[in-house]
Structure formats: structure tokens, C-alpha cells
Amino acid sequence: MERKIREDDAEKLADYLRRNAVKSVAVCVHCCENETLDEVAVMLYPFSSLPDFSWDAVRHDFEPETDSYMVVHYVL
């Protein structure tokens, strides 16, 4: 399954995945050009303890007005 979420929804989705015994999670953070790796790590933190967790980050410098978001792929 796949969901596109904002940072504010990360904890809620991570809790849902924990309760439903997720098998694997891959998160791609689409971030603004001025966000640091530390800020990306904060966005990923709610998912970091889930099984088979992986992540990637993509900067969208070409769209300066776009807010950061995450695309979460998971298998229940």
C-alpha cells in the first residue's frame, strides 16, 4: 500500500502500522531545498522502529513553494 502524508500525520500512521503488524516500511521524504538532514531524520523518526524500515529523500528545489511531504510504502 502507499500513502502520501504530511509530517504532522507521521506519528498517527506509524502507530496504525505498529498496531497492524506491518511487515515492511519504505519512506521517501520529498523535502524543500532548505531542509537539513537532521530535519529529515526528525520526519522519519516515527517509522524508524518499524520492521524492515528503509528510507530515501528527494529534494524538490525546482518547486520552491511546495511543502515537504512523505510517501510511505508498506506491507501488512
Side-chain angles (χ1 to χ4, degrees):
M1 301 181 100
E2 177 181 296
R3 287 197 190 170
K4 179 179 172 182
I5 63 169
R6 300 267 177 223
E7 183 179 359
D8 296 347
D9 297 325
E11 190 65 46
K12 186 167 76 172
L13 179 57
D15 287 342
Y16 167 80
L17 295 175
R18 266 185 217 91
R19 285 191 315 273
N20 288 282
V22 67
K23 291 179 178 63
S24 68
V25 178
V27 180
C28 184
V29 177
H30 294 256
C31 54
C32 301
E33 65 183 41
N34 61 345
E35 286 183 298
T36 66
L37 191 53
D38 288 340
E39 290 170 315
V40 170
V42 168
M43 287 186 231
L44 293 168
Y45 180 76
F47 301 101
S48 63
S49 65
L50 295 173
D52 197 19
F53 169 71
S54 63
W55 68 276
D56 194 6
V58 177
R59 289 177 54 175
H60 45 75
D61 300 345
F62 56 91
E63 299 174 32
E65 298 300 316
T66 303
D67 291 333
S68 295
Y69 62 93
M70 291 178 265
V71 178
V72 182
H73 299 268
Y74 57 94
V75 177
L76 294 177

